[in-house]
Amino acid sequence: MNEAKKCAIFYVSDGTAITAETVGRSLITQFTGIDFIEKRLAFINDPETAQGAADIIQNTPSDYQPLVVNTVVDIKLRKIIHSAGGLKLDPFNRLLRRIEKTLGIKSDPGVGRTHGMSDSGSYNDRIEATNYALSHDDGVNLNLHKADIILLGVSRSGKTPTCLYLALHYGLKAANYPITDEDLDRMRLPNDVMMHKDKLYGLTIDPFRLSQIRSERRPNSRYAELRKCQKEVSDAEVIYQGKQIQFLNTTHTSIEEISGKIMIALDLNKRLY
Amino acid sequence: MNEAKKCAIFYVSDGTAITAETVGRSLITQFTGIDFIEKRLAFINDPETAQGAADIIQNTPSDYQPLVVNTVVDIKLRKIIHSAGGLKLDPFNRLLRRIEKTLGIKSDPGVGRTHGMSDSGSYNDRIEATNYALSHDDGVNLNLHKADIILLGVSRSGKTPTCLYLALHYGLKAANYPITDEDLDRMRLPNDVMMHKDKLYGLTIDPFRLSQIRSERRPNSRYAELRKCQKEVSDAEVIYQGKQIQFLNTTHTSIEEISGKIMIALDLNKRLY
């Protein structure tokens, strides 16, 4: 019998290893039929922790091929890690040399830590935006004038996690407005929501999936009935279309993708010229 | 006068461009004294969007050097983007070839999209964990038996954003318990918290910063007084130390770093052998 190949992939970093993990995971998604195990080795920033990481890599079970994505900046520590063997994958070194050559400037490894997403918004903006999202969840306590974005959708269509992600990652103030039975009866949204039309974005979801999600929370309720879910979703989509509100189906879409698409649709990609 | 060099860095991807952005940002943090502007060009997945991206790159102001971090998989689309010029930075191609060689297996670009963090926990785990974090925020409605982690800290020490980050990114069920005045008077935590000692992790914060944060929320309150903040923080740290609860100062630490350190401390890095 032809056994699947096995790989152990290590994400080694002097910081959180989020960048190394992001890169490594992108690489391994390109290979099928391989049994991957992953291990994050974060905050490797002195000879002791580096030796600890090397020991872990060296103890990879012998039927696993070790791959080492290494974003540690300090050369001495890198050497300790590399002494453990395995395929060395450095996502940055060659690219840094190319940028240096093009710009005619040396990089300064003492300065930059590979902080990944942590600078997407300043820390304070992100905390403030998270507090905003929490206090403007489910349409309560609405102060929509301050919102960067207002997500619309029926209950359990994915509004809350998306708002929190936009806040935590990008420091965007995201409020959400749950479309109510009353709105659906009237087939319109309240004026104090519609007055912010340029900030509105709708979410929709497959009614079968919605019914399943609602059933987990309230089994055998009218709220979770498939027919009710179908009617709500269909009516919400009619409202979006009638008012030319852009919307997206969240059923098979990751939180990252939903957030990315909303930012493009509402032109919230701030850091540009 | 010696003007700063100027660069425009583009993150181009057929997905959310989170991976391209993570890599690109790690690269540019290594250069000081350069005026960087950034632009994310996400969901570039057909000739039209690729041409649109190429046009944007081509229109870079002439005093800016364009750098193009390109993670688009489709070769035809890559060519369209590269026709725009700029320094081409591909974080994956060479690393993929090296993995292929080591494993003796071809990569399958049709299979893997560069999803970045989106697979860190399954979508459902993450949504469920986010709901858990929201319903177990600020010590209300405690069902700590189900928690993967319980964060302790005085009010405004960073518990809520950290819990939400752990949930949204890693699908970890993170509850938080705010240390109350009553706990501080008694210098102990309630038994129903202490019985989960192996899940406890404390946050602390610089009292000056805490006073500042609280002042923004409730100006001139006793709650925000520096002396009260100093006393609360110092007492909370004594409680942590007395019970050998690991803790971390959040004052100068990003949400990602806090989360990463907690996961290591509580051994919550699940994906391992």
Side-chain angles (χ1 to χ4, degrees):
Chain A
M1 219 175 88
N2 209 341
E3 257 194 77
K5 294 220 179 197
K6 293 175 171 180
C7 274
I9 183 161
F10 298 93
Y11 309 127
V12 192
S13 164
D14 43 19
T16 59
I18 291 176
T19 305
E21 184 178 12
T22 305
V23 171
R25 192 156 288 163
S26 294
L27 290 170
I28 65 177
T29 55
Q30 310 274 326
F31 292 90
T32 44
I34 295 183
D35 179 10
F36 280 106
I37 50 176
E38 304 172 273
K39 187 157 177 66
R40 200 145 35 107
L41 300 169
F43 304 110
I44 304 302
N45 43 32
D46 58 32
E48 287 68 39
T49 49
Q51 189 53 54
D55 292 345
I56 289 169
I57 296 167
Q58 212 145 26
N59 287 326
T60 304
S62 61
D63 48 339
Y64 280 80
Q65 163 68 40
L67 309 178
V68 184
V69 182
N70 185 350
T71 64
V72 172
V73 171
D74 187 289
I75 291 173
K76 280 182 208 147
L77 302 183
R78 296 175 69 84
K79 277 194 183 160
I80 297 174
I81 295 154
H82 285 163
S83 71
L87 177 65
K88 303 167 189 61
L89 300 167
D90 181 337
F92 296 129
N93 201 36
R94 199 171 131 272
L95 299 180
L96 278 178
R97 299 297 93 79
R98 294 192 59 205
I99 297 176
E100 285 179 343
K101 208 174 149 190
T102 300
L103 299 185
I105 284 183
K106 282 297 252 183
S107 65
D108 182 350
V111 177
R113 285 293 181 87
T114 54
H115 272 306
M117 300 302 297
S118 65
D119 299 322
S120 286
S122 84
Y123 186 76
N124 291 344
D125 286 352
R126 294 163 71 197
I127 301 287
E128 202 192 318
T130 303
N131 290 333
Y132 181 89
L134 288 173
S135 62
H136 293 76
D137 189 31
D138 269 343
V140 291
N141 195 9
L142 291 174
N143 183 356
L144 300 181
H145 291 278
K146 287 196 176 170
D148 294 309
I149 173 174
I150 303 162
L151 283 191
L152 309 174
V154 301
S155 172
R156 296 292 135 191
S157 53
K159 301 183 297 300
T160 297
T162 306
C163 284
L164 290 170
Y165 189 90
L166 287 164
L168 273 169
H169 268 256
Y170 300 107
L172 289 169
K173 289 198 174 69
N176 82 54
Y177 177 80
I179 299 177
T180 62
D181 282 342
E182 197 189 330
D183 299 331
L184 297 173
D185 285 344
R186 299 161 66 210
M187 285 304 280
R188 56 189 295 276
L189 298 170
N191 290 336
D192 52 352
V193 172
M194 282 311 298
M195 70 185 287
H196 300 283
K197 187 166 179 301
D198 53 335
K199 301 176 184 176
L200 300 181
Y201 194 93
L203 298 184
T204 189
I205 184 171
D206 178 274
F208 293 88
R209 178 76 191 118
L210 182 61
S211 169
Q212 200 182 5
I213 295 170
R214 289 182 173 184
S215 293
E216 282 162 23
R217 292 181 73 88
R218 292 199 221 152
N220 305 317
S221 62
R222 184 167 136 57
Y223 170 75
E225 261 174 31
L226 179 58
R227 273 178 62 183
K228 175 154 170 64
C229 292
Q230 284 172 322
K231 178 92 170 70
E232 281 190 30
V233 166
S234 143
D235 286 353
E237 291 182 9
V238 170
I239 293 176
Y240 298 152
Q241 281 159 341
K243 293 292 180 188
Q244 280 103 46
I245 295 167
Q246 301 182 76
F247 67 100
L248 180 71
N249 190 316
T250 64
T251 315
H252 300 291
T253 316
S254 73
I255 303 171
E256 288 81 355
E257 283 176 289
I258 299 169
S259 303
K261 289 189 173 166
I262 292 169
M263 287 173 68
I264 290 175
L266 297 188
D267 203 15
L268 291 170
N269 235 322
K270 286 175 181 172
R271 296 177 307 277
L272 18 141
Y273 49 88
Chain B
M1 220 176 86
N2 209 341
E3 257 194 78
K5 294 220 180 198
K6 292 174 172 180
C7 275
I9 182 160
F10 298 94
Y11 309 127
V12 193
S13 165
D14 43 19
T16 58
I18 290 175
T19 305
E21 184 178 12
T22 304
V23 171
R25 193 158 288 163
S26 293
L27 290 170
I28 65 177
T29 57
Q30 311 274 328
F31 292 90
T32 44
I34 294 184
D35 178 10
F36 280 106
I37 49 176
E38 305 172 273
K39 188 159 176 64
R40 197 142 39 103
L41 301 168
F43 304 108
I44 305 301
N45 43 32
D46 59 32
E48 287 68 39
T49 49
Q51 189 54 54
D55 292 345
I56 290 169
I57 296 167
Q58 210 146 28
N59 286 325
T60 305
S62 61
D63 48 340
Y64 281 81
Q65 163 68 40
L67 309 178
V68 184
V69 182
N70 186 350
T71 65
V72 172
V73 171
D74 186 291
I75 292 174
K76 279 183 208 147
L77 302 183
R78 295 176 69 84
K79 277 195 182 158
I80 296 174
I81 296 155
H82 284 163
S83 71
L87 177 65
K88 302 167 190 60
L89 299 167
D90 181 337
F92 296 129
N93 201 36
R94 199 171 132 274
L95 299 182
L96 278 178
R97 298 297 93 79
R98 294 192 59 208
I99 297 175
E100 285 179 344
K101 208 174 149 190
T102 299
L103 300 184
I105 285 184
K106 282 298 254 182
S107 67
D108 183 350
V111 177
R113 283 295 181 86
T114 54
H115 272 306
M117 300 303 297
S118 65
D119 300 321
S120 285
S122 83
Y123 185 76
N124 292 343
D125 286 351
R126 294 163 72 197
I127 301 287
E128 202 192 319
T130 304
N131 290 333
Y132 181 89
L134 288 172
S135 61
H136 293 76
D137 190 30
D138 270 342
V140 292
N141 196 11
L142 290 175
N143 182 357
L144 299 181
H145 291 279
K146 287 196 176 170
D148 294 308
I149 174 174
I150 303 162
L151 282 190
L152 309 174
V154 302
S155 171
R156 296 292 134 194
S157 54
K159 299 183 300 297
T160 298
T162 306
C163 285
L164 290 170
Y165 190 89
L166 287 164
L168 274 170
H169 268 256
Y170 299 108
L172 290 169
K173 290 198 173 68
N176 82 54
Y177 177 80
I179 298 177
T180 63
D181 281 341
E182 198 189 329
D183 300 330
L184 296 174
D185 286 344
R186 298 162 66 210
M187 283 306 277
R188 57 188 295 275
L189 299 171
N191 290 335
D192 53 350
V193 172
M194 281 311 297
M195 68 185 287
H196 301 284
K197 187 166 179 301
D198 53 333
K199 300 176 183 175
L200 300 182
Y201 194 92
L203 297 183
T204 189
I205 183 170
D206 178 273
F208 292 89
R209 178 74 192 120
L210 181 62
S211 168
Q212 199 182 5
I213 295 170
R214 289 182 173 183
S215 293
E216 282 162 22
R217 294 181 72 88
R218 293 199 222 151
N220 305 316
S221 62
R222 183 165 136 61
Y223 169 75
E225 261 174 31
L226 178 58
R227 274 178 60 183
K228 177 156 169 63
C229 292
Q230 284 171 322
K231 178 92 170 71
E232 282 190 29
V233 166
S234 144
D235 286 352
E237 291 181 9
V238 170
I239 293 177
Y240 299 152
Q241 280 158 342
K243 293 291 180 189
Q244 279 102 46
I245 296 166
Q246 301 181 78
F247 67 100
L248 180 72
N249 191 315
T250 65
T251 315
H252 300 292
T253 315
S254 72
I255 301 171
E256 287 81 355
E257 283 175 290
I258 300 169
S259 304
K261 288 187 175 170
I262 292 170
M263 287 172 68
I264 289 173
L266 297 188
D267 203 15
L268 291 169
N269 235 321
K270 288 176 182 172
R271 295 178 306 277
L272 17 141
Y273 49 88

